[in-house]
Amino acid sequence: MLDTSKIKLDFPILSRQMNGKGLVYLDNSATSQKPQTVITAITEYYMNHVANVHRGVHTLSDESTHLFENGKTKIAHFFGAKKQELIFVRNTTEAINGVAYGWGEHNLVAGDVILVTVMDHHSNIVVWQELAKRKSAQLIFVGVTDSGTLDLIDLEKKLEQFGEKVKLVALPHVSNALGTVVPVTKVVELVKRANSQTRILVDGAQSAPHIPITFTKIGIDFLAFSGHKMLGPMGIGGLLVREELLKTNEMQPWFFGGGMIAEVHESHTVFHDDINERFVAGTPDVASVVGLAAACEYLENLGMQAVLEHDISLVNYAVQELAKIENVILVGPNFESNSLLNSDIKNPERVGSVSFLYKGVHAHDVAQVLDSQGIAVRSGHHCTMPLHTSQHWIATTRASFQVYNSKEDVDALVLALKKVREVLL
Ligand SMILES: Cc1ncc(COP(=O)(O)O)c(C=O)c1O
């Protein structure tokens, strides 16, 4: 386990009192808190280095450009990607929209198929519904098994059924509602075996904070992530695109403006040859890039393997303890009580969060009682209405973890959940 008592001190907000109690922040899948190093990096940039990048010859502009480019190098390295494969966006949602506009618009024709999953976040559904409408394409859902995992048999069946029409498979690495880890390597194998030309997009919103990722090695084409869920600032995220798709222009810019151009004429524009520049339309959010680079550094200093192990042991502990509470029904991989999950660190079944139903009580009421005890959790459908509908759940309550959470935080949650019964039933 990580030394959480030391780590907690790095996050100023965690010393706050909440409703008369010490804050227990368990809403990390929605957004994570920020360490002092990230806050300082942003403040330092605004206090000492502000200037527009790439465009000036003066020293401040040089400093700002250096911080931006250095930050980009660090962030790409964190994801095991080449620098030119990283396109900055505001968040996962914008990254997925980027694939729809920069790739989908140019590569889909009527009748083509996009495969997503029933457990996807709305951001990885609505974008494709809209693209499918524009292109007269079909959006097909791959199911989820009774034990909360991706139904690989259904995936195989649909890959076979739609054959070469399947142009894109877009799926989450980790479900934000179930904590399920999708076996990406297996998915890549199935998809590429069915058609080597099918592109794969992984929504890494919930995996980037917990799982070491080497983009160039996993055989996918796109990876979307949000900085704010991985200790970084809000308003910065990334889309990783396999270099070949950029070099061949299969993936094209979808925002246009200054910065990305080589020449502009009244009749036409020639875009930058350098891929690193071609997707930067307008002034980038330098401070947020600097802040996200500091977040990556913070996680790297802890070690992503240690971060993953910490998360898995917290998730296991939470599953074990929550399963003992009367009226709590766990959802997600392996619903059986007291069974330890994720024992195989290389192939964890669940990371990041534990969601549950509370018999006879709406999730919002559960969350409100927990809030009165200083515990922040999320309740509702977690932007996964198709999943909730398929399971006949109105709403679930989710506790989600980060590097600063400890077993004591889980104990506090368990204790407060016992109060739900006293207060509401
Ligand atoms: C799996 C998943 N995908 C996408 C998103 C959207 O992320 P953002 O709101 O940062 O764009 C989330 C947010 O919770 C998520 O959990």
Side-chain angles (χ1 to χ4, degrees):
M1 292 282 281
L2 299 172
D3 184 353
T4 50
S5 54
K6 202 160 148 253
I7 290 172
K8 273 192 168 125
L9 299 175
D10 294 336
F11 292 77
I13 204 169
L14 297 179
S15 61
R16 272 197 66 178
Q17 291 285 301
M18 204 51 66
N19 301 318
K21 315 254 175 185
L23 169 64
V24 177
Y25 187 78
L26 296 174
D27 193 17
N28 294 286
S29 293
T31 200
S32 65
Q33 299 302 343
K34 324 301 172 196
Q36 185 62 54
T37 50
V38 168
I39 299 164
T40 304
I42 296 168
T43 313
E44 164 67 12
Y45 175 75
Y46 277 123
M47 285 179 71
N48 290 312
H49 304 290
V50 175
N52 213 327
V53 291
H54 296 143
R55 290 165 201 168
V57 287
H58 57 82
T59 308
L60 261 190
S61 178
D62 257 3
E63 284 177 17
S64 189
T65 303
H66 178 74
L67 284 167
F68 175 72
E69 292 296 334
N70 241 13
K72 188 171 179 185
T73 305
K74 264 190 205 153
I75 297 160
H77 180 264
F78 179 84
F79 284 97
K82 297 175 190 164
K83 186 180 178 190
Q84 61 270 28
E85 292 178 315
L86 172 59
I87 300 168
F88 286 123
V89 289
R90 283 182 303 161
N91 47 38
T92 302
T93 305
E94 194 170 294
I96 296 170
N97 273 278
V99 178
Y101 285 100
W103 178 85
E105 289 290 344
H106 310 292
N107 292 283
L108 287 197
V109 294
D112 279 346
V113 169
I114 303 161
L115 288 184
V116 293
T117 79
V118 172
M119 68 169 106
D120 266 296
H121 188 279
H122 295 163
S123 291
N124 200 35
I125 294 175
V126 183
V127 174
W128 306 118
Q129 282 173 341
E130 291 301 307
L131 179 69
K133 259 196 260 171
R134 293 197 296 276
K135 307 298 282 185
S136 302
Q138 308 173 69
L139 182 63
I140 306 288
F141 284 77
V142 176
V144 172
T145 66
D146 289 343
S147 53
T149 57
L150 180 65
D151 188 342
L152 291 171
I153 295 170
D154 192 36
L155 171 64
E156 243 183 314
K157 213 169 73 190
K158 283 179 173 142
L159 286 168
E160 194 179 324
Q161 181 184 350
F162 295 102
E164 297 204 338
K165 282 195 184 319
V166 182
K167 291 289 158 60
L168 179 72
V169 176
L171 75 181
H173 195 175
V174 172
S175 156
N176 63 306
L178 300 172
T180 305
V181 181
V182 169
V184 172
T185 311
K186 183 72 190 161
V187 168
V188 170
E189 187 191 311
L190 295 177
V191 172
K192 295 295 168 184
R193 194 195 301 153
N195 179 6
S196 63
Q197 290 311 300
T198 299
R199 301 306 181 206
I200 302 170
L201 180 153
V202 169
D203 169 353
Q206 298 298 345
S207 58
H210 306 290
I211 300 179
I213 292 171
T214 309
F215 179 68
T216 48
K217 292 218 174 115
I218 41 182
I220 61 170
D221 301 286
F222 307 102
L223 185 118
F225 67 90
S226 296
H228 68 92
K229 294 182 195 286
M230 47 183 287
L231 313 183
M234 285 182 164
I236 187 81
L239 172 63
L240 297 170
V241 183
R242 194 159 58 78
E243 191 179 25
E244 187 199 330
L245 274 57
L246 298 165
K247 278 189 168 162
T248 57
N249 261 336
E250 185 176 321
M251 171 76 188
Q252 297 181 25
W254 69 96
F255 275 132
F256 302 95
M260 64 201 301
I261 54 91
E263 294 167 29
V264 177
H265 306 277
E266 285 194 8
S267 57
H268 70 286
T269 290
V270 180
F271 294 106
H272 231 300
D273 256 355
D274 183 352
I275 300 166
N276 198 39
E277 308 285 343
R278 203 189 300 154
F279 288 81
V280 187
T283 303
D285 184 349
V286 184
S288 293
V289 168
V290 168
L292 180 54
C296 290
E297 212 167 280
Y298 188 90
L299 288 168
E300 266 167 0
N301 286 341
L302 294 175
M304 280 309 285
Q305 200 55 39
V307 167
L308 176 62
E309 284 170 25
H310 175 78
D311 180 79
I312 287 172
S313 84
L314 269 187
V315 163
N316 275 338
Y317 184 64
V319 166
Q320 179 188 291
E321 295 305 307
L322 290 173
K324 291 179 191 162
I325 306 174
E326 210 190 334
N327 293 326
V328 165
I329 304 163
L330 292 169
V331 302
N334 195 345
F335 302 165
E336 289 125 47
S337 319
N338 295 329
S339 58
L340 276 188
L341 302 169
N342 303 310
S343 46
D344 178 1
I345 204 97
K346 287 217 170 87
N347 295 299
E349 289 178 281
R350 184 206 288 254
V351 301
S353 66
V354 177
S355 296
F356 55 90
L357 301 154
Y358 199 108
K359 259 190 234 162
V361 183
H362 193 284
H364 290 333
D365 294 330
V366 174
Q368 211 149 30
V369 174
L370 294 179
D371 183 50
S372 72
Q373 302 301 307
I375 301 170
V377 295
R378 182 129 307 222
S379 55
H381 53 59
H382 314 292
C383 290
T384 57
M385 282 184 77
L387 174 75
H388 275 65
T389 305
S390 76
Q391 302 297 317
H392 311 289
W393 302 329
I394 293 167
T396 51
T397 306
R398 178 184 71 193
S400 53
F401 307 108
Q402 249 300 348
V403 292
Y404 36 74
N405 291 121
S406 60
K407 287 189 172 169
E408 287 71 33
D409 293 340
V410 176
D411 292 339
L413 171 70
V414 168
L415 196 68
L417 278 172
K418 289 180 180 160
K419 284 221 164 59
V420 170
R421 216 174 136 63
E422 285 163 30
V423 175
L424 296 172
L425 289 182

